[in-house]
Amino acid sequence: MRKEKILALTTFAILLASCSNDDEIPRFENLEGTPIVIKAGVNNMITRAGWDSSNLPDRFIVSIDQDGTEYDYENVMMYRKSDNSYAPQEGTTLIWGSNAHQATIKAYYLGPTQRTLEEGKEYSMLGEYDAEYIRQCDYLGACSAVEGDIQISGSAVNINFRHLACKLDVNYTWSNELKSIDDKKITWNTHEGFGYKVTINFENGTVEKYDDSVSQSYNRAYLYSNADGTYTSEFLFAPYCSSPKITIEATIEGETRKFEVNVPEPAGGFKSGHRYTLNVCVGGNSAQAGTVNIAQGWDTNTSDGSFEME
């Protein structure tokens, strides 16, 4: 009898604890009528030329389908607040309905002039030549159909954005004959043959080629010098290309020289969300490129395929 009483008391205590937890974390069926809180982060990227979780876009668009209820929301512009959460424009509130557990959510950042998510619309990933302009073309996407993109915790929607663009980091070094020369610098570089026109598949959160347009030679990358006298450029583009190449202008002892290098495509082609590295060695009369390699995430500074040119 004593054991039965202890068991009953233990069961009652567990039930009380369960009720207490229910008050702290609302269940889906208790969310109806409560405001939806939107939070966002960006996966696997720490770079000057793109978005990351400490440097989020000022706005993005979200659509929430709660199984055809009156609480469906389409193309709602969300604005970043000081705590990096997002809210719609003042006077607008997103509300959970009775079918919160069945909500289908998609969220996209598609450039600074984005207003709506439209199937089949042409979007351009073409950037300019400084970090801020290039960042604007770092398209982000998340949708319920992709595992890990959207998480619902209590009344909050946590959006884990994926990068829809590709990124190419080019590391420029000097040949042995130029290493001892102090008066040398790379003044600019341009990229030709890289894709930039895309449409968005909103159901699976991917970009698809809009047509066969590729960038022309005036599309500059973000170029900067390093403390050891080498240079790095960062370039965002759509995951397709046609005979891609880079033109480099260097000044060596007051003389301006131009070089062209072909960019070898990786096996299987370029893919969204991948960061690629390429080493280029600049000599007195020519420049040579190594192989394009996939970096492990967008947050490393490592590169492979290095070599020295005499």
Side-chain angles (χ1 to χ4, degrees):
M1 176 68 73
R2 187 170 181 273
K3 290 182 178 179
E4 291 176 354
K5 287 182 178 180
I6 293 174
L7 179 61
L9 287 171
T10 303
T11 304
F12 181 66
I14 292 172
L15 289 172
L16 283 177
S18 176
C19 291
S20 174
N21 289 337
D22 285 348
D23 291 338
E24 295 173 6
I25 303 176
R27 295 181 182 275
F28 283 122
E29 55 265 33
N30 295 331
L31 289 178
E32 184 174 6
T34 61
I36 300 173
V37 178
I38 303 287
K39 299 179 180 180
V42 179
N43 286 330
N44 299 327
M45 182 174 175
I46 302 173
T47 174
R48 288 161 291 272
W51 301 115
D52 60 54
S53 289
S54 63
N55 181 30
L56 295 164
D58 289 334
R59 64 187 70 184
F60 64 82
I61 286 179
V62 67
S63 292
I64 303 174
D65 181 354
Q66 300 191 65
D67 199 27
T69 69
E70 61 181 306
Y71 299 110
D72 288 351
Y73 302 99
E74 190 74 19
N75 288 325
V76 178
M77 186 70 75
M78 305 299 295
Y79 298 89
R80 182 164 56 90
K81 301 193 300 183
S82 58
D83 62 356
N84 278 346
S85 66
Y86 285 80
Q89 65 183 7
E90 189 174 351
T92 302
T93 303
L94 306 183
I95 301 295
W96 284 117
S98 60
N99 292 312
H101 61 292
Q102 298 178 3
T104 299
I105 301 170
K106 56 187 178 183
Y108 290 88
Y109 170 83
L110 301 176
T113 61
Q114 172 196 15
R115 293 293 177 267
T116 58
L117 306 180
E118 299 179 32
E119 294 284 355
K121 180 178 178 179
E122 173 196 333
Y123 294 93
S124 174
M125 286 184 170
L126 201 59
E128 297 292 337
Y129 55 86
D130 67 24
E132 185 53 39
Y133 278 108
I134 292 174
R135 185 178 292 113
Q136 305 300 319
C137 296
D138 182 19
Y139 286 8
L140 306 174
C143 65
S144 297
V146 178
E147 184 177 358
D149 277 11
I150 307 290
Q151 297 174 339
I152 300 176
S153 177
S155 61
V157 175
N158 297 313
I159 299 172
N160 300 310
F161 279 117
R162 287 174 290 107
H163 302 277
L164 303 182
C166 304
K167 183 167 184 282
L168 178 63
D169 289 351
V170 182
N171 304 301
Y172 295 98
T173 59
W174 301 100
S175 67
N176 289 337
E177 66 174 305
L178 298 179
K179 284 182 178 179
S180 61
I181 297 176
D182 294 329
D183 182 16
K184 62 180 184 295
K185 64 180 180 179
I186 297 175
T187 51
W188 55 260
N189 64 353
T190 62
H191 290 61
E192 183 177 350
F194 291 85
Y196 69 97
K197 288 186 179 181
V198 298
T199 59
I200 313 297
N201 185 325
F202 294 112
E203 299 307 314
N204 59 21
T206 58
V207 294
E208 299 174 353
K209 182 167 66 171
Y210 178 77
D211 58 23
D212 291 327
S213 298
V214 291
S215 60
Q216 303 301 312
S217 59
Y218 55 79
N219 302 127
R220 297 189 184 185
Y222 172 46
L223 176 71
Y224 53 91
S225 60
N226 301 305
D228 61 358
T230 63
Y231 286 77
T232 302
S233 69
E234 303 181 24
F235 184 66
L236 292 167
F237 60 100
Y240 69 94
C241 59
S242 176
S243 302
K245 66 179 180 180
I246 299 173
T247 301
I248 308 144
E249 182 180 278
T251 302
I252 302 169
E253 293 185 318
E255 181 184 348
T256 299
R257 307 180 190 184
K258 287 186 179 180
F259 311 100
E260 282 190 359
V261 293
N262 294 320
V263 177
E265 293 186 53
F270 293 105
K271 299 184 184 300
S272 290
H274 286 190
R275 170 177 170 261
Y276 300 88
T277 60
L278 173 67
N279 291 339
V280 173
C281 187
V282 178
N285 297 307
S286 65
Q288 293 184 10
T291 57
V292 170
N293 295 275
I294 300 176
Q296 298 302 310
W298 293 47
D299 58 346
T300 65
N301 292 316
T302 60
S303 59
D304 302 309
S306 60
F307 62 91
E308 284 195 349
M309 186 171 66
E310 295 298 329

